[in-house]
Amino acid sequence: MTSFAPDSIVLNRKLPLWYQVSQSLRASILGRSPQDPLRLPTEEQLAGHYGVSVLTMRQALKELEDEGLINRHRRRGTFIEPSARRGAPVRLLGSVDTIVAQQSGMTTELLGHGPAPLPAELAEYFPDVAEVGTYHRLRSDEKTGEPTNHARNYVRPELAALIDPQDLVRWPMTKVLRDVVGLRISRITDTVEARLADPETARLLQVPLLSPILHYTGIVYGEDGVALDVARIHYRGDRFSFTVTLDAH
């Protein structure tokens, strides 16, 4: 039986290795194609793939098993759970792969894309451009079809020319910028705040007008400190929660 092939990762030695590996594998699982195999490689093969010890790999797999994304069977192997519920709470710990995992794993509909005048409220992030590339997507639970969030991305115009919009149906913008366009990402800043659903959000997410939502803003910076992408995502407040874990070491 052919095994599922996870994406690669460049590990950051300042963060727990098991955590980075679990988030990278989580993003790969949630972003997989329907035709991809459900069986994972062995612990030893995965450890070699990520360049970590088997003990570290075992800890990463336990995290995914506890979340319900995989099932482990003695002698048979480890398998992706095809009916695992998406949109579970995500623990943020300063890893780019955490952001990718946070945005992955749902059915995505591209509602629109194209150049647009720079919104005035984003001028501080793109002070040298008058026009940006925009992408609007609606994400839904793969199993129930229920809308869970809608996202707008604003990227620098020279990057928009390098992005295939169909890649955004399968992958988050962060992954496309890093793994498809080939950019090096230096940092991402996240802001999550409570808001009330405006008419557009209420319509898209199928919630009552003025019901509570989580409004997420993520800014992706390149190596030179220039903002590459600003993402604004509206999450249903009854489907998502965010937990930030601080590493004391």
Side-chain angles (χ1 to χ4, degrees):
M1 178 185 296
T2 303
S3 296
F4 176 74
D7 295 336
S8 298
I9 179 177
V10 177
L11 294 173
N12 180 347
R13 296 293 166 177
K14 295 181 180 180
L15 296 173
L17 297 181
W18 68 267
Y19 175 81
Q20 296 178 73
V21 169
S22 71
Q23 292 302 305
S24 178
L25 185 52
R26 182 181 190 275
S28 294
I29 290 172
L30 294 181
R32 72 191 187 280
S33 297
Q35 65 270 22
D36 286 342
L38 293 178
R39 183 171 186 164
L40 290 180
T42 66
E43 287 182 353
E44 292 76 11
Q45 290 170 331
L46 285 170
H49 174 78
Y50 287 111
V52 298
S53 69
V54 172
L55 185 61
T56 296
M57 194 65 239
R58 194 167 294 156
Q59 189 173 4
L61 291 172
K62 185 179 185 304
E63 177 83 357
L64 299 181
E65 185 179 27
D66 290 345
E67 189 179 332
L69 283 179
I70 62 173
N71 286 308
R72 309 177 74 187
H73 304 278
R74 185 181 295 274
R75 296 188 180 89
R76 288 183 53 215
T78 301
F79 296 84
I80 297 169
E81 175 51 61
S83 61
R85 181 168 177 80
R86 314 304 173 87
V90 174
R91 293 189 295 167
L92 301 181
L93 193 62
S95 164
V96 172
D97 284 282
T98 301
I99 305 301
V100 172
Q102 170 194 319
Q103 301 168 357
S104 298
M106 300 174 196
T107 300
T108 301
E109 178 185 359
L110 186 63
L111 299 179
H113 66 91
L118 176 69
E121 65 271 21
L122 301 185
E124 63 178 299
Y125 306 116
F126 303 111
D128 57 334
V129 301
E131 186 179 83
V132 289
T134 64
Y135 303 86
H136 187 199
R137 288 167 292 167
L138 177 68
R139 299 188 181 103
S140 303
D141 185 280
E142 191 177 65
K143 185 176 181 181
T144 66
E146 179 183 63
T148 58
N149 69 85
H150 77 95
R152 277 192 170 88
N153 288 81
Y154 305 86
V155 303
R156 298 184 63 84
E158 65 270 22
L159 298 181
L162 303 175
I163 295 171
D164 181 347
Q166 290 308 308
D167 284 339
L168 295 172
V169 175
R170 179 177 180 186
W171 296 311
M173 178 66 80
T174 307
K175 181 175 178 63
V176 171
L177 291 175
R178 186 188 65 178
D179 298 342
V180 179
V181 179
L183 298 177
R184 293 184 64 86
I185 295 172
S186 63
R187 63 188 174 97
I188 299 174
T189 63
D190 293 324
T191 303
V192 181
E193 56 186 314
R195 290 191 180 181
L196 300 179
D198 57 32
E200 179 188 42
T201 297
R203 175 179 61 82
L204 289 173
L205 300 187
Q206 300 177 16
V207 297
L209 184 65
L210 301 182
S211 60
I213 61 167
L214 293 176
H215 177 74
Y216 164 91
T217 302
I219 302 133
V220 177
Y221 294 91
E223 285 188 304
D224 54 4
V226 173
L228 307 175
D229 164 54
V230 176
R232 289 183 163 179
I233 308 175
H234 292 83
Y235 293 94
R236 284 183 56 153
D238 59 345
R239 292 292 182 271
F240 284 87
S241 65
F242 288 81
T243 301
V244 178
T245 303
L246 300 178
D247 182 14
H249 302 288

